[in-house]
Every structure is written in C-alpha cells, then in structure tokens.
Amino acid sequence: MRSCWGPKPRPRPEDQFVIGEVPNAEWRWEPAFREALLSWLRELQWEPGMGQVTFVELALDFEAHSGRAMPASPGAELQVVVLSLHERARVLRTALAVLQRHVTAGTLVRGAMTTKARSLVPLGAGTLPGLTARPYFARRQAMREQLQALAAYCEERWIGKIGRQELSFGVSSEGETLEVPAAGDRRPS
C-alpha cells in the first residue's frame, strides 16, 4: 500500500491528459462535479508496475480531495442523499467512462477496468470493480484513516457473521473445554 505511505514520486508527463469539450447531453451532473473530478485526476500519480485499486477507494480519495460528497446518478429519484460506498463507486465509474470518451491526448486513468480488483481483500472486503493499476492517493492521510475504518467495519461484520462461539476455538470463557461437533454433525439450534 505504497499509495498511502512513503514519498510520492515526482509527476511524470505520461500522467497528464487533455479532455475535449463534453456535451451537456452526455454530462448530466453539475459542471462543478466535472471540474472537481478533473482536478483530482490531474493530481493522481500512478505506481509503476502492476497493481489494483477499487472504485470504492478511488471514490473515497476523490471525496477527500474535493471536500464534497459524490453526487447521485443524474437519474436518481433522490438527489440529496448520502450514497453507499458501492453507489459512490458506481457513480465514479460512470463519470470516468463519460470523460474517457472525450480524452484527446494522454491517459485519463492507468490500467484496464476489472470486475475483480483485490486491493481491499486483505482488509476483509471481497473483490470489487476497479482498475488494474494503482495510483498514489491524492489525500493520503485521509485515505489511511478511511481504510483503517473500513478494515474495522469488515472485521466487525466478519465477527458478527461467524459469531463469538465459533471464534472460541473449542475453549469457553472460563477456560473449560467445549464439546466440538464432529465433521458433518449439526449444532443444535
């Protein structure tokens, strides 16, 4: 996770891009969102070599950089709501796809889109849509805090799913051994 720690490299010319005019018919969000998105994209620097990043991580970094929440999809019934992490990621992916069609020079983002980015798996999340390249995050301290909170959330969900008794490894809280069912046996409900 060099993207959160260590020195950031100097900007490289290949990290720059040029966007042509995006028609209002294609960009249905407010213009301020496009400007904030382009500002964030221009600040991103990409790690050399292969890596992965989820759109969830990218959406969180965008929000930290811009100081604004990800807007709802233009067709959403409610425009002023707090979006789930997955919806924020979906909105970012959609907005990037619109911008990508209008790149006239350079590369908007590195890597190809994938449905199985594994960058959050070590924190307890599953595979998620993302990119096959990893940037140095624009707001690294905020991302460290966000990723730590996400790891704690995933751990709490995991503990809640398997239950405390399952985590006992056959030892009760008083130190006595519990009866562990044989393979294939069902526990009484």
Side-chain angles (χ1 to χ4, degrees), residues 15-17 19 38 41 44 46 95-101 103 105-110:
D15 287 336
Q16 300 304 312
F17 59 87
I19 298 275
L38 290 172
L41 287 165
L44 289 181
W46 296 86
L96 290 175
V98 171
L99 291 176
Q100 184 65 48
R101 288 193 293 268
V103 172
T107 304
L108 191 63
V109 294
R110 297 260 177 238

Side-chain angles (χ1 to χ4, degrees), residues 78-156:
L78 300 174
Q79 291 293 317
V80 186
V81 295
V82 177
L83 303 178
S84 71
L85 287 177
H86 290 286
E87 183 61 14
R88 293 180 208 178
R90 193 186 70 72
V91 168
L92 178 64
R93 186 174 63 227
T94 303
L96 290 175
V98 171
L99 291 176
Q100 184 65 48
R101 288 193 293 268
H102 298 281
V103 172
T104 58
T107 304
L108 191 63
V109 294
R110 297 260 177 238
M113 289 197 185
T114 179
T115 58
K116 297 189 183 276
R118 303 182 54 82
S119 57
L120 292 179
V121 168
L123 301 181
T127 58
L128 297 166
L131 299 171
T132 59
R134 188 163 185 86
Y136 291 92
F137 293 120
R139 296 296 176 261
R140 298 165 88 189
Q141 177 62 34
M143 285 304 295
R144 275 195 296 272
E145 293 167 7
Q146 291 279 6
L147 293 175
Q148 288 168 346
L150 185 59
Y153 170 76
C154 289
E155 185 176 340
E156 287 174 21

